[in-house]
């Protein structure tokens, strides 16, 4: 009898051990760093999971004896047999990217995977290249290198960020109610070599993205660690110098990483009046993992920049030979800016099914810009130079809790979040000045206090091959403005809330074909001065959009993404910071097509191409008067990249922007351009020699263009025509890097 009872107990224990349950684990690389977005697939139960920011995964319905396939593009796929019920550790071996190993349905985010591939094949070496990694996004610099770039995306002249939400490590880049323009996004505080991941999405379909997410969003993540320290030195034409230092501070320290990055840039540019541009960047990051694999990240950064600028010049003065393409009418333009950031992030597993991600940040920002767009149109004696200036402090925090649960055969994921951002902007100024020294008239001066509180919830129901993702976002805004030019002290205030629903569908038709339908409402806030001036009317103009698209691998080494899209934008009032006035823009609609491909020709040669076709029009205007100034109707980028061909790497890249209307009736045209860039690198032990040529064929192209009415000092009447900033001519520079 005792033997019988003992046998029953042993059989019961074995049965319990064999019973399917949740299995928890962590995935690392060979240098003991956790890997995010690794795909874990149970071959027996057909359940799957992905690793979190901490490298942790929990896979359901898994028992001893099951086989797990573990893979991530850029790492060797591993198959393991489950031999225990306690948490397991898996190490993946890094290898060259092979597109034939990419399975669409296994990817957590195919767009993010493609951007990781692009970063690996063609690393970024300038702040301009950072944004150009987003397919279909074009930029233009028109103020001596220190001003934020002008952005073009999906038929939008986004200006400096009005219709695209940009963030770095969960910290917003866009500046609300900025002295120069709403949404102003200066990314120059990023040292490009620190960028590890670029996540982006087009359209307003993402519940965790709020203000400015109409045309899309871009989210940058910096590296958690360095594989090795390095120092590089670059020298080139136009008195160009750049030095970068990347220093690992805690080499081989278990569960901790820390590094420091520094950058210094100086250049005069190709202009006849030197830019005298310089920038200093400092960035530090510390990461620590607890015994429970919770992750705490601390980052701090500071950048400061100053520059002179030749400004935008009128086409007529170049045509009549009075100045060259690189000349100036008023070369006293320029400015200075700085930004200091502190950010702390926590990624934590609350339970096997629940994770928490939270960050809190503080930024101090200062800005001063001198411009002259119309020369002597308004003031025939002193000229039309203006100064825009502000001093800002930003406080904020974001939290997101994600809950995963299996509901029978349905996989359920719920993410909910809360966030707050508070901007204190002192002495926001617009003045008329002369020679950057004398203030002639203060047009606007005041203090802005602006708060945004938000909450969102995003659900995902996965029914086999079909995923349905409804979402809802709520934003609350409080705007305060104190006008310092008023005799009596008064604070003008307005409040507004907005609800933004989203609904997205994803269908994995095959292992290598995903179809999707995205839809949602987005918005961008207006400048606080506009809000109070219009007494709360049209504070948060909406966008309505939809995307129908696919990601497809028709061949083992070819990935194609395609989308048809539509976007409608409501009536809005836009604050024109250059003039200190409010202009209504009216309703607009845009529709178009995106097409992209990534093709691996062999182990070391990659081809990529991205094209966007757009039709953009104002809705309430008559035919022929309904063009949207500077809205691109066709863009194309392509490149051939060589990676690890013996000791060589490099590439050839082409970007094309079609001509487009510069005014509402298309009577003034902004010229298009084709620019080709080339780079080649050679590794010699720990030393890398690099050669970069921008504008390889030395084409004369205009980087930014505007239809502007201006008057020169010797002119009796004003003229409206193209004013432009010339693009960089043939520009060669060399780099020496040392790794240690």
């Amino acid at each position: 009898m005792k033997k019988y009872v003992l046998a029953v107990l042993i059989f019961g224990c074995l049965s319990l051990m064999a019973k399917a349950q949740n299995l928890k684990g962590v995935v690392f690389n060979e240098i003991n760093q956790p890997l995010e977005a690794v795909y874990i697939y149970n071959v027996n139960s057909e359940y799957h999971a992905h690793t979190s920011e901490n490298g942790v995964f929990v896979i359901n319905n898994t028992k001893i004896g099951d086989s797990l396939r573990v893979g991530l593009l850029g790492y060797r796929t591993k198959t393991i047999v489950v031999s225990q019920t306690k948490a397991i550790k898996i190490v993946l071996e890094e290898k060259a990217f092979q597109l034939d190993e990419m399975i669409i349905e296994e990817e957590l985010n195919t767009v993010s995977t493609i951007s990781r591939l692009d970063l690996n094949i063609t690393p970024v070496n300038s702040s301009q290249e950072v944004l150009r990694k987003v397919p279909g996004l074009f930029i233009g610099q028109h103020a001596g290198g220190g001003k934020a770039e002008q952005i073009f995306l999906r038929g939008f002249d986004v200006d400096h960020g009005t219709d695209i939400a940009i963030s770095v490590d969960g910290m917003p880049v866009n500046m609300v109610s900025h002295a120069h323009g709403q949404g102003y996004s200066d990314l120059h505080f990023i040292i490009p070599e620190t960028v590890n991941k670029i996540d982006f999405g087009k359209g307003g379909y993402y519940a965790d993205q709020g203000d400015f997410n109409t045309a899309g969003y871009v989210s940058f993540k910096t590296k958690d660690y360095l594989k090795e320290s390095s120092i590089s030195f670059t020298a080139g034409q136009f008195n160009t110098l750049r030095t970068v230092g990347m220093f690992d501070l805690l080499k081989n320290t278990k569960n901790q990483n820390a590094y420091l990055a520094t950058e210094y840039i100086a250049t005069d540019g190709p202009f006849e009046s030197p830019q005298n541009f310089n920038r200093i960047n400092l960035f530090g990051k510390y990461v620590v993992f607890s015994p429970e694999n919770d992750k705490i990240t601390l980052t701090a950064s500071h950048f400061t920049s100053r520059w002179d600028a030749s400004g935008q010049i009128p086409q007529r003065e170049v045509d009549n030979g009075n100045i060259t393409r690189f000349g100036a009418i008023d070369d006293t333009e320029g400015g200075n800016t700085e930004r200091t950031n502190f950010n702390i992030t926590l990624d934590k597993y609350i339970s096997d099914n629940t994770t928490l991600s939270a960050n809190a940040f503080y930024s101090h920002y200062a800005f001063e810009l001198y411009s002259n767009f119309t020369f002597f149109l308004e003031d025939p004696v002193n000229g039309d130079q203006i100064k825009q200036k502000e001093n800002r402090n930003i406080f904020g925090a974001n939290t997101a809790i994600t809950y995963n649960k299996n509901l029978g055969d349905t996989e359920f994921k719920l993410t909910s979040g809360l966030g707050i951002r508070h901007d204190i902007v002192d002495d926001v100024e617009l003045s008329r000045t002369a020679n950057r020294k004398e203030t002639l008239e203060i047009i606007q001066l005041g203090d802005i206090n602006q708060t945004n509180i938000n909450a969102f919830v995003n659900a995902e129901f996965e029914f086999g091959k079909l995923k349905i993702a409804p979402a809802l976002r709520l934003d609350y805004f409080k705007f305060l403005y104190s006008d310092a030019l008023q005799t009596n002290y008064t604070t003008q205030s307005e409040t507004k809330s907005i609800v933004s629903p989203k609904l997205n569908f994803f269908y994995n038709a095959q292992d290598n074909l995903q179809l999707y339908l995205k839809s949602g409402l987005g918005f961008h806030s207006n400048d606080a001065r506009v809000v109070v001036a219009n007494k709360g009317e049209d504070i948060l103009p909406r966008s309505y959009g939809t995307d129908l698209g696919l990601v497809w691998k028709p061949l083992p080494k070819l990935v194609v993404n395609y989308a048809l899209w539509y976007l409608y934008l409501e009536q809005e009032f836009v604050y024109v910071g250059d003039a200190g006035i409010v202009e209504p823009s009216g309703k607009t609609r845009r529709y178009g097509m995106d097409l992209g491909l990534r093709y691996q020709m062999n182990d070391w040669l990659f081809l990529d191409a991205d094209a966007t076709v757009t039709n953009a029009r104002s809705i309430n205007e008559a035919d022929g008067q309904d063009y949207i100034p500077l809205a691109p109707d066709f863009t194309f980028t392509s490149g051939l990249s060589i990676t690890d061909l013996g000791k060589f790497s490099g590439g050839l890249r082409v970007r094309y922007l079609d001509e487009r209307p510069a005014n509402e009736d298309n009577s003034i045209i902004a010229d298009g351009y084709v620019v080709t860039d080339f780079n080649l690198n050679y590794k010699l032990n720990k030393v890398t020699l690099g050669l970069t040529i921008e504008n390889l064929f030395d084409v004369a192209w205009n980087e930014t263009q505007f239809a502007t009415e201006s008057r020169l000092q010797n002119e009796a009447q004003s003229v409206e025509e193209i004013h432009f900033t010339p693009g960089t001519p043939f520009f060669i520079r060399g780099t020496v890097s040392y790794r240690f």
Side-chain angles (χ1 to χ4, degrees), residues 53 92 168:
E53 177 87 15
L92 293 185
V168 176

Side-chain angles (χ1 to χ4, degrees), residues 306-567:
R306 61 90 53 216
W307 67 95
D308 298 322
S310 297
Q312 299 148 31
I313 58 176
Q315 184 66 53
R316 61 187 182 275
E317 284 294 274
V318 177
D319 292 343
N320 63 29
N322 287 339
I323 60 173
T324 71
R325 284 177 48 80
F326 298 98
I329 301 298
D330 180 358
D331 62 358
T332 65
E333 296 190 23
N336 56 81
T337 186
E338 64 177 56
R339 179 167 178 164
T340 303
N341 305 302
F342 297 97
N343 193 11
I344 180 170
T345 302
L346 170 66
D347 294 287
K348 179 180 178 61
Y349 257 87
I350 299 174
S351 68
D352 285 353
N353 294 325
T354 309
T355 60
L356 167 70
S357 181
N359 78 301
F361 58 88
Y362 165 76
S363 293
H364 173 260
Y365 173 80
F367 173 86
E368 186 176 54
L369 178 68
Y370 294 87
S371 308
N372 187 347
F373 304 107
T374 55
F375 310 125
F376 291 91
L377 178 67
E378 304 295 337
D379 187 336
V381 177
N382 299 294
D384 298 347
Q385 185 180 88
I386 60 171
K387 176 176 75 171
Q388 296 164 314
K389 185 177 181 179
E390 69 167 60
N391 188 66
R392 177 186 302 249
N393 291 290
I394 310 171
F395 304 85
N398 301 291
T399 62
I401 295 178
T402 301
Y403 175 76
N404 291 277
K405 184 69 175 178
N406 276 22
L407 305 174
D409 293 332
T410 302
E411 294 184 42
F412 173 67
K413 179 179 178 181
L414 181 70
T415 303
S416 58
L418 289 170
I420 184 171
R421 171 178 175 171
H422 182 64
D423 288 63
I424 303 172
V425 196
D426 295 327
D427 299 323
V428 185
E429 179 183 350
L430 173 64
S431 300
R432 292 181 53 247
T433 57
N435 200 33
R436 287 174 69 168
K437 291 185 178 296
E438 182 183 359
T439 298
L440 303 175
E441 177 189 6
I442 298 177
I443 301 172
Q444 286 190 333
L445 181 66
D447 298 330
I448 295 171
N449 198 291
Q450 184 168 329
T451 304
N452 172 209
I453 301 173
N454 63 78
F456 73 89
V457 59
N458 186 90
E460 295 181 9
F461 300 89
E462 193 167 333
F463 308 93
K465 294 179 178 295
L466 176 65
K467 181 191 293 185
I468 302 175
L472 194 67
R473 181 180 178 91
L474 171 66
D475 283 89
Y476 165 85
F477 285 85
K478 177 76 171 182
F479 303 88
L480 299 175
Y481 180 59
S482 298
D483 190 343
L485 299 183
Q486 296 296 320
T487 304
N488 297 322
Y489 174 83
T490 58
T491 298
Q492 298 169 279
S493 67
E494 294 288 346
T495 61
K496 183 72 173 181
S497 297
I498 188 169
V499 176
S500 305
K502 331 275 184 177
L503 181 59
N504 301 320
F505 299 87
F506 303 88
Y507 181 66
N508 291 316
Q510 300 174 9
D511 286 352
N512 291 325
L513 174 62
Q514 182 186 81
L515 309 175
Y516 62 82
L517 174 63
K518 300 179 182 180
S519 61
L521 278 64
F523 73 95
H524 75 246
S525 62
N526 269 322
D527 188 289
R529 291 159 290 187
V530 176
V531 170
V532 298
N534 288 282
K535 301 188 182 303
E537 294 296 324
D538 298 301
I539 292 177
L540 306 172
R542 288 185 181 275
S543 69
Y544 301 78
T546 186
D547 269 43
L548 175 63
L550 60 83
V551 183
W552 182 35
K553 276 189 69 180
L555 299 172
K557 294 191 175 185
L558 174 64
V559 178
V560 177
N561 56 278
Y562 175 81
L564 294 172
W565 56 270
Y566 176 88
L567 182 66

